[in-house]
Amino acid sequence: MLTTQRKAMLLERLSRDGRLVASDLAADLDVSEDTIRRDLNDLAAEGRLVRVHGGALPASPTHVPLARRQLMQTPEKARLGKAGAQLIQRGQVVIVDGGTTHLALVAALPLDLHCTIVTHSPGIAAALEPFQRVEVILFGGRLFRHSMVALGAATVAGYSGLRADLCFLGVTGVHPEAGLTTGDAEEAALKHGMLRAAAEVVVLATPDKIGTVSPWGVAGLDRISRLVTQGDRPNWLPPGVEHSDG
Amino acid sequence: MLTTQRKAMLLERLSRDGRLVASDLAADLDVSEDTIRRDLNDLAAEGRLVRVHGGALPASPTHVPLARRQLMQTPEKARLGKAGAQLIQRGQVVIVDGGTTHLALVAALPLDLHCTIVTHSPGIAAALEPFQRVEVILFGGRLFRHSMVALGAATVAGYSGLRADLCFLGVTGVHPEAGLTTGDAEEAALKHGMLRAAAEVVVLATPDKIGTVSPWGVAGLDRISRLVTQGDRPNWLPPGVEHSDG
DNA sequence: CCGATTCGTGCAATAACATGCAATAATGTG
DNA sequence: CACATTATTGCATGTTATTGCACGAATCGG
C-alpha cells in the first residue's frame, strides 16, 4: 500500500468514525504501529487531525461549538483577564477587541459592573449577556473567520466616530522595534482605528506574543498606556508605558 | 476509548446535565473510579470544571445561563431547526433572526454549506464559526439584552439596503387575526424591515407560540411564505402560506 | 460520634511514545 | 547503467502515559 494512499484512508476513517486508534489501525492495515504513528504525526503536523495519546481526533472544531471553547481558558489567560478587569472603572466606555484572552477578561468582570462596552466581536458580545448593567454596543460587518470579528467599512466608521475611555487591544506580536503587530492587513487597520478612539490603550499579552513580530503593524509601543504580561516588565518597554503582571 | 475522547465526553455530559457524579461515570464508561477522578482533576486543573466531593460542577457559574440556554435544545427545537435548514439552497443569501430556535437551525446546517448568512444576533454569528464556506454578515447596534440581538438605526439601515432570498423570522406570537407579533416595539419594527428585505419569509414556531399574541405587531400572516410548526397545518393559515411539520 | 463514601498517594502492569538504527525500495544523477 | 541519495518501514531501546489496585486520610450524613 502506498503511503499517501494509507494517509488518505486514515483521514477517511477519521471523518467516518470521529476518532482513530493507532493499535487498531496497525492490525487492520497490516503495518507496524510505528508506521501508523508516523502517519498520524505527519498528518498532525499538516493540521489535518489532532494527535492524542493512543490515536487521533478530528482537527476541525466541528462539534465543539462556542460554549466549549469559551470554557477552554488556560489559567494564564484567566489571570490576564482578571488583571485587565480591574482596570475598568464604573461608568467608563470601554472598547474590547476579540479573542480568547478578552473572553477571559469578560469572564473576570464583576457581575454588577456598570459601564458601556463597545466591540466588533460577536463572541465578546454574546459573552456579555449575563451582565445586566453593561450596555453593549456591537459594530457589524463581514465576519473575518480566522479571528471571528466583524471587519469592513461600517466597522471602521463606527470606531472613528467614538471617543472611549479605555481600549483593550488584541495583537499577536509585541516587539521592541516592530511594536504592535497582527496577522491581517485589514484587521491591523481596524485596530489602529480602535486605538485612536480611546484615551487609554491596554494590551493583554500572553508570554508567547512577547518579543514576536507578525506581518502587519498596528502602532508603536509608545501608543499604548499599559502592557499586561506574565512576568517581569520587559526592559525595552518605553518608559511612558505602564506595566502590570497578570 | 481514548483518554482525550473520554474527557471530552465528560465535559459534554457536564454541560448537558449540569453536574457529574464520579461513581456513575465509572459504571457508565466502564473504567475504574480512579480513572474518572484523575480525569476530573485534570479538567479542574485546566479550569474547565470545578471539582466537588463526589464529582464535578460547571466551571463558570456566571456563564452557565448562556451556555445552558444554547445547549438547552429540546428535541422539538432540533426538529424545527432541521426542517428549516433544508429550505436553504446553495448560494442563497439568507437572513437569520436571533433566538434559540434559530440556534437550532444553525446547528442543523450541513458543514459544507455554501451561502451567505445575514444576522443581527451575535449568538447566531458566533455559532456560524465552524462553517468554513458560509459568508457571515453581522449587523451591529446597541445590544437589546432580553433577546440578545443588536438594535438601532444602523441595524435597520443595514436590512433596508439588502435583497435576500430567504428570511428566517422569529416571533413570539402567531395568531389568525393579530398575525405575527413580538414583545418589543423596536424589535417589531426591525423584524418588519427584515421581512421586507427577503423574497421568501419562513417562520419557525414552537407549539407554545401558535395562537398567541404579543403586544407589538410585525406583519400579517399573508406576508410569510412558510410556517414550520409541530403538528398539523392550522386551518386559519392563509391559503398562500405553505406549511411544513418539523 | 460512627459508618460509609470519597479522596489522595504510592505502586506496579500495561500500553503508547520518541529515537536511533538498519534493511529495503524508490528516486535522482552522472 | 552505476552510483548516490532519499523515502519508507520495521525493530530495538529507553521513556512516558495511562490505568487499576491497595492503603490510610479526609469528608459526608446522620
Side-chain angles (χ1 to χ4, degrees):
Chain A
M1 155 129 12
L2 275 63
T3 309
T4 317
Q5 197 181 3
R6 191 179 55 238
K7 287 184 184 176
M9 176 178 294
L10 294 183
L11 289 175
E12 200 176 322
R13 289 192 178 211
L14 177 59
S15 66
R16 192 189 59 199
D17 305 338
R19 66 168 174 167
L20 292 177
V21 180
S23 53
D24 294 357
L25 293 166
D28 265 24
L29 304 180
D30 202 34
V31 289
S32 76
E33 294 191 19
D34 302 72
T35 302
I36 296 294
R37 262 196 291 275
R38 268 185 275 248
D39 289 346
L40 295 181
N41 287 341
D42 289 351
L43 292 169
E46 296 170 23
R48 323 253 319 240
L49 49 75
V50 173
R51 195 75 169 78
V52 299
H53 195 93
L57 293 172
S60 71
T62 301
H63 41 96
V64 184
L66 185 71
R68 181 81 49 81
R69 222 181 305 168
Q70 281 190 5
L71 298 174
M72 211 161 71
Q73 279 181 20
T74 61
E76 291 78 35
K77 281 192 179 166
R79 282 203 300 277
L80 274 185
K82 204 167 179 180
Q86 291 171 347
L87 301 174
I88 301 178
Q89 288 170 24
R90 178 190 163 85
Q92 282 190 321
V93 176
V94 183
I95 300 173
V96 178
D97 203 347
T100 52
T101 304
H102 292 117
L103 270 176
L105 169 75
V106 170
L109 293 176
L111 264 182
D112 59 347
L113 179 67
H114 185 287
C115 71
T116 301
I117 291 188
V118 184
T119 186
H120 60 296
S121 155
I124 295 289
L128 283 167
E129 190 239 353
F131 300 87
Q132 295 294 329
R133 310 193 55 191
V134 173
E135 169 104 338
V136 182
I137 308 292
L138 173 67
F139 288 146
R142 179 179 156 275
L143 227 63
F144 178 52
R145 189 163 304 284
H146 176 68
S147 49
M148 281 300 287
V149 293
L151 286 184
T155 328
V156 174
Y159 282 118
S160 72
L162 178 70
R163 292 307 306 164
D165 299 300
L166 194 55
C167 171
F168 287 95
L169 195 71
V171 294
T172 55
V174 180
H175 190 271
E177 287 159 29
L180 308 172
T181 50
T182 191
D184 180 79
E186 202 173 344
E187 219 182 345
L190 179 62
K191 284 175 193 294
H192 188 73
M194 295 165 62
L195 178 143
R196 285 195 307 179
E200 298 201 8
V201 178
V202 176
V203 172
L204 306 180
T206 45
D208 57 306
K209 286 161 188 160
I210 302 297
T212 65
V213 179
S214 290
W216 302 94
V218 175
L221 290 181
D222 55 339
R223 295 296 301 273
I224 67 176
S225 322
R226 179 181 292 269
L227 176 68
V228 183
T229 66
Q230 255 124 39
D232 295 335
R233 176 192 178 101
N235 55 19
W236 39 260
L237 200 62
V241 180
E242 296 186 85
H243 174 267
S244 18
D245 183 356
Chain B
M1 155 112 37
L2 299 171
T3 307
T4 316
Q5 207 177 8
R6 190 181 55 238
K7 288 183 183 175
M9 178 177 294
L10 294 183
L11 288 175
E12 205 173 315
R13 290 193 178 210
L14 177 59
S15 63
R16 192 190 61 199
D17 305 337
R19 68 181 173 139
L20 291 178
V21 179
S23 53
D24 295 357
L25 293 166
D28 265 24
L29 303 180
D30 203 34
V31 289
S32 77
E33 294 191 19
D34 303 72
T35 302
I36 296 294
R37 262 197 291 277
R38 267 185 275 248
D39 288 347
L40 294 181
N41 288 341
D42 289 351
L43 292 169
E46 296 170 24
R48 302 173 68 165
L49 50 75
V50 173
R51 195 75 169 77
V52 297
H53 196 90
L57 291 173
S60 52
T62 57
H63 287 170
V64 168
L66 177 70
R68 181 78 56 84
R69 219 187 299 173
Q70 282 192 3
L71 298 172
M72 205 170 71
Q73 278 185 18
T74 59
E76 291 78 38
K77 280 191 181 169
R79 281 204 301 277
L80 272 185
K82 203 167 181 180
Q86 290 171 346
L87 301 174
I88 300 178
Q89 289 171 27
R90 180 190 161 87
Q92 281 189 323
V93 176
V94 183
I95 298 173
V96 178
D97 203 348
T100 52
T101 305
H102 292 118
L103 270 175
L105 169 75
V106 170
L109 294 176
L111 263 183
D112 59 346
L113 178 66
H114 185 289
C115 71
T116 300
I117 291 188
V118 183
T119 186
H120 61 296
S121 156
I124 295 289
L128 282 166
E129 192 240 347
F131 300 86
Q132 295 293 328
R133 308 192 57 191
V134 173
E135 170 106 335
V136 181
I137 308 292
L138 173 66
F139 288 146
R142 178 178 157 277
L143 227 62
F144 178 53
R145 190 163 304 283
H146 177 67
S147 51
M148 281 301 287
V149 293
L151 285 183
T155 328
V156 175
Y159 283 118
S160 73
L162 177 69
R163 292 306 307 165
D165 298 301
L166 194 57
C167 171
F168 287 94
L169 195 71
V171 293
T172 53
V174 181
H175 189 271
E177 286 160 29
L180 308 172
T181 50
T182 189
D184 180 80
E186 203 172 346
E187 220 183 344
L190 179 62
K191 285 178 193 294
H192 189 74
M194 295 165 63
L195 178 144
R196 286 194 306 180
E200 299 200 7
V201 178
V202 176
V203 172
L204 308 180
T206 44
D208 57 307
K209 286 162 190 161
I210 302 298
T212 67
V213 180
S214 289
W216 301 94
V218 175
L221 290 181
D222 56 338
R223 296 296 300 272
I224 67 176
S225 321
R226 179 181 293 268
L227 176 68
V228 182
T229 66
Q230 256 125 38
D232 294 337
R233 175 191 178 103
N235 54 20
W236 40 260
L237 201 63
V241 180
E242 298 186 82
H243 174 266
S244 20
D245 184 358

